[in-house]
Amino acid sequence: MLGLSRRKFAMLAALTAGIVGVVATGCSTPAEPETIDNPVFIGISIDPIKNLSPNHAANLFALSADGSGGIFQELAPTYFPSIHRLGNGFIAPDRDSLVVVDASLKEVYRHEVARLGVGMQTQSARSPLHKSVPFSFTEGTAEAPYRHRIVSATEKTSASAMTDQRHFALTACDDGSTRWVEYFPDRGMEDPMSPGSARIVALQADGELSEIDVEWNFPDRPSAPIILSCEDPSAYIVSEEDIIYVKDEVSPAESIGKLPAYEIPDRARFDTVSGEDDFAFTSTGMLTRINIPQAKIVYAQSIDLDGKHPVSITFDSDRAYVVTSGDSGESLLEIDLNDPTCTSDQLSLTGFNQLLTARKPKPEPSIIIETILPIDPNYSLGCKS
């Protein structure tokens, strides 16, 4: 556990923590599930919507090795939902709960979260060994436009906290704790990019909150990439081009170098942090890996998208899965993050191009795939010849 200060941390919100709830009914709808033979991939998609309504849904789906398949469970409509590994199963947000399904696609239990309206999920993360997963949901009001609820879950426990501050770099740790950075602009939320201060917050699995004030005058709001250690209180926070190193709660922060120039992701959720490295992807197919402590580009590799445009990217341990869209429909491309010259042939997702889109009245666009990953973490599409 981090050696953070244990003084009470006054957030302008309530904190709740509890043990996992028993399976709830009436939150999601496994209505008319598709028959999926030998499912290989699991994911979550969202109906093409402008305004949430009960007629819309987030869809848990599964696909076979040939790309066929369909929806096996409908969840509460959510903007930008995601699904992550948790233990040997998978976890995703639903109304007033986080639902967990196993590798056979069966719901096994829920973490019940009172008054979780879902609505819009802004961030999520997964711990290195898949022992914890936090989600962040916007619950802004006129008085507190940046208010968010952060809900973290392990296989046995769940905890949640509310914050009124802009927060970044949601980080999951295998001990069940969650970390993030909050920014306090000097001129208040009316000018969120103005100079200000920051702090690192930790939510433990038992619901206890602690914080570290970062001793640094930020010229503007910190930006990605940000690395928060799970082993100790240290952190690397990028401010403009400076890489700021935070050692602990008593040592002053220091600038250790400049972030090298690289192609910044031009879409949300097109980057991730793993260990001390940041992975950044762009809509043109450029994949960059940067070691932050060394301020060094490990590689910058152009990925051949075969004339298609990327819809989403899912980072899963040492691989990334890019959903692409073109005239022939949606496809899936796998990238080896340790050797980005190893990319797979694109797998046509016939489960979307035929079965799933047929459920939606024309001329609505295709269902949007937010996350997709193999059920077996060792499964791979391999390198194309």
Side-chain angles (χ1 to χ4, degrees), residues 8-9 36 158 228 234 244 273 294 315 320 346:
K8 289 297 182 180
F9 173 47
I36 304 163
S158 63
L228 303 178
S234 65
I244 311 303
V273 166
Q294 298 181 31
F315 295 94
Q346 293 203 34

Side-chain angles (χ1 to χ4, degrees), residues 87-213:
N88 294 320
F90 302 88
I91 188 169
D94 199 5
R95 182 173 291 107
D96 298 330
S97 63
L98 302 177
V99 61
V100 178
V101 299
D102 62 18
S104 64
L105 312 182
K106 294 180 180 178
E107 182 178 323
V108 288
Y109 62 87
R110 288 174 179 266
H111 289 277
E112 296 189 30
V113 185
R115 299 181 299 279
L116 179 64
V118 189
M120 180 181 292
Q121 178 196 309
T122 55
Q123 297 182 58
S124 64
R126 74 282 184 205
S127 70
L129 299 179
H130 316 303
K131 292 185 177 182
S132 73
V133 174
F135 297 89
S136 178
F137 303 96
T138 180
E139 295 190 4
T141 65
E143 295 74 22
Y146 296 114
R147 178 171 293 165
H148 278 73
R149 182 194 298 253
I150 297 169
V151 184
S152 180
T154 67
E155 290 185 279
K156 295 183 179 180
T157 65
S158 63
S160 67
M162 299 283 283
T163 176
D164 285 352
Q165 302 303 129
R166 287 292 296 268
H167 68 291
F168 313 91
L170 194 67
T171 301
C173 301
D174 284 321
D175 64 0
S177 64
T178 301
R179 289 142 172 75
W180 63 89
V181 171
E182 294 185 348
Y183 187 61
F184 298 82
D186 292 340
R187 292 194 286 270
M189 293 305 177
E190 293 77 14
D191 188 2
M193 298 296 291
S194 64
S197 59
R199 67 183 172 198
I200 301 168
V201 182
L203 171 65
Q204 303 300 330
D206 62 3
E208 183 178 358
L209 280 168
S210 55
E211 52 87 16
I212 289 179
D213 292 324

Side-chain angles (χ1 to χ4, degrees), residues 339-363:
D339 178 11
T341 63
C342 172
T343 61
S344 70
D345 289 317
Q346 293 203 34
L347 173 67
S348 177
L349 301 182
T350 57
F352 285 87
N353 303 332
Q354 298 175 12
L355 299 177
L356 301 190
T357 54
R359 294 167 56 107
K360 307 301 171 185
K362 302 298 182 182

Side-chain angles (χ1 to χ4, degrees), residues 36 66 73 87 237 259 309 313 319 335 365:
I36 304 163
D66 62 359
Q73 189 164 347
I237 302 175
L259 189 69
H309 68 269
I313 182 169
R319 299 187 183 96
I335 306 171

